[in-house]
Amino acid sequence: MYSEKVMDHFTYPRNVGEIENPDGVGEVGNTVCGDVMKIFLRIKDDRIEDIKFKTFGCGAAIATSSMVTELVIGKTLQEAKEISNKTVAEALGGLPCQKMHCSNLAADALHAAIDDYHKKQKVSG
Ligand code: FES
């Protein structure tokens, strides 16, 4: 079943919530189960200064969301982009096979939020 790390992040999720006037927002839905995750970013000097998430999903989705926020806080946008769904699952000590699709939400929502930030930058010049 779940690793200790998964259980820890599921029971005590880090960085849950919203950021007011975020610099980037990413929202993705899981096509397999219909669960949804939203990520909010505060960016300063090309670094992720703050990150929060809201997940309407299963325990594995909450744990992966929580883990991804811990992995990227303080990182540059380039470093954050390199985080994949696999990186997140590995950082959690693995996920049961039938739960691997749940890890897709976390990195995808992060990448969507970074893309949103870049789009906003272009618009504001
Ligand atoms: Fe939907 Fe896990 S069952 S994200």
Side-chain angles (χ1 to χ4, degrees):
M1 269 316 283
Y2 290 130
S3 70
E4 253 175 57
K5 270 201 183 149
V6 173
M7 288 312 291
D8 178 37
H9 278 266
F10 168 55
T11 315
Y12 308 103
R14 286 40 152 200
N15 306 307
V16 179
E18 265 181 60
I19 291 176
E20 240 179 87
N21 302 319
D23 297 313
V25 181
E27 185 172 342
V28 294
N30 196 314
T31 47
V32 180
C33 61
D35 291 340
V36 178
M37 177 186 178
K38 209 166 175 180
I39 278 213
F40 304 85
L41 294 177
R42 169 82 59 234
I43 312 285
K44 202 174 170 208
D45 299 332
D46 247 24
R47 266 180 203 278
I48 299 181
E49 193 181 55
D50 198 10
I51 176 166
K52 294 263 190 288
F53 80 90
K54 276 188 164 176
T55 294
F56 302 96
C58 68
I62 291 169
T64 48
S65 310
S66 169
M67 178 49 95
V68 89
T69 63
E70 285 227 305
L71 285 174
V72 302
I73 201 156
K75 293 251 160 70
T76 65
L77 293 175
Q78 191 51 44
E79 286 166 338
K81 269 192 182 166
E82 282 160 21
I83 301 263
S84 67
N85 295 320
K86 197 166 158 249
T87 322
V88 181
E90 279 172 6
L92 283 168
L95 283 170
C97 287
Q98 72 274 26
K99 284 284 168 188
M100 276 314 283
H101 76 269
C102 309
S103 73
N104 294 348
L105 286 177
D108 288 358
L110 170 69
H111 297 159
I114 294 174
D115 288 347
D116 182 51
Y117 167 71
H118 286 309
K119 243 185 258 161
K120 284 183 176 148
Q121 291 295 101
K122 269 189 203 145
V123 173
S124 65

